[in-house]
Amino acid sequence: MFYNYLKVALRNLVRRKVYSLICISGLALGLGCCILLLLWVQHEMSYDTFHDRARSLYRVEQDQSSPEGTFHVSVGPYPMGAALHAELPEVRAVTRLARAEGLLVRYGDKALFEDRVAAVDTTFLQMFTFPLLSGDPATALSRKHSAVLSEETSARYFGTGNPLGKTLTINNAYA
C-alpha cells in the first residue's frame, strides 16, 4: 500500500512540475523560517542562565524619541536605580553598568589600551554570580577604585602572580 502511495506521489510530481516546485519550495522556506525562529528563541531564553538568581534579574530599557525616530535603548537616568529601589519593594537590589573603551592601563613597565572595561556598582557581584578565581565576591567591589579582572587580563599584567592587592593606574589618573 505504501508503494502505491509513493508511486502516485511521484507521478503527480512529474506531471505537475511547476506546481510541485512551488509547493516544495514553500514547504522548505516555511520549515527553514520555523527552525531559525526556534533557534533564536532558544538563544534568547538561554542568555545568562548560569547566574544563581537568573530568573529574578531584569534589565531596564526605554524608548527614546528624537527627530530621527524612536530608539529602543538599555540606558536610563543616573538616579533611576535608587528611585526604583526606594519606591518598589519588589526591587531587592540595583546595579548600574557603564562601558568604557580605550583606557590606558599601566602596571609597572607594562602599559596597554583596554577596550573591554565596565564600571559597575558595588552590588554587581551580589546580583550576578560570576565565578572568581581568587578573592571574595562579597568584598571584591566594596572599596572605591577596586577592580575585578578576567583571567586573561590578569595574566597580561601580572603573569602567573597573584593580582590581589596590586595597583593598576588607569589613564594616568586613577590608582
Side-chain angles (χ1 to χ4, degrees):
M1 185 156 175
F2 177 73
Y3 177 73
N4 287 335
Y5 286 142
L6 186 61
K7 189 164 53 171
V8 170
L10 289 175
R11 284 181 188 165
N12 284 330
L13 284 175
V14 172
R15 190 177 314 142
R16 302 179 190 152
K17 292 178 182 157
V18 175
Y19 176 75
S20 298
L21 180 67
I22 291 171
C23 287
I24 292 171
S25 60
L27 178 65
L29 184 66
L31 283 174
C33 288
C34 284
I35 290 171
L36 285 175
L37 184 64
L38 288 173
L39 287 172
W40 178 73
V41 168
Q42 180 185 18
H43 172 71
E44 288 295 314
M45 298 299 287
S46 68
Y47 189 74
D48 280 347
T49 55
F50 65 91
H51 296 295
D52 290 343
R53 295 172 289 280
R55 290 201 164 285
S56 63
L57 295 174
Y58 296 92
R59 181 168 80 173
V60 175
E61 298 178 348
Q62 64 176 313
D63 292 329
Q64 291 182 346
S65 298
S66 70
E68 291 85 24
T70 302
F71 299 98
H72 187 78
V73 294
S74 60
V75 297
Y78 180 79
M80 185 189 325
L84 287 174
H85 188 58
E87 296 292 324
L88 299 172
E90 297 87 6
V91 177
R92 287 184 261 159
V94 175
T95 190
R96 293 166 296 169
L97 181 135
R99 297 189 190 278
E101 294 180 358
L103 297 178
L104 177 63
V105 179
R106 291 182 188 270
Y107 177 72
D109 60 342
K110 295 180 185 175
L112 301 168
F113 283 100
E114 297 291 341
D115 287 328
R116 298 181 61 201
V117 178
V120 298
D121 287 326
T122 58
T123 57
F124 185 80
L125 289 177
Q126 296 168 10
M127 295 176 65
F128 298 98
T129 52
F130 289 104
L132 299 182
L133 295 177
S134 60
D136 183 15
T139 60
L141 296 172
S142 61
R143 294 186 320 197
K144 190 174 185 176
H145 300 298
S146 58
V148 175
L149 302 175
S150 68
E151 188 174 6
E152 295 83 20
T153 305
S154 176
R156 276 198 306 265
Y157 292 103
F158 307 110
T160 58
N162 186 3
L164 291 177
K166 306 254 174 79
T167 301
L168 293 172
T169 304
I170 300 173
N171 285 346
N172 295 324
Y174 301 107

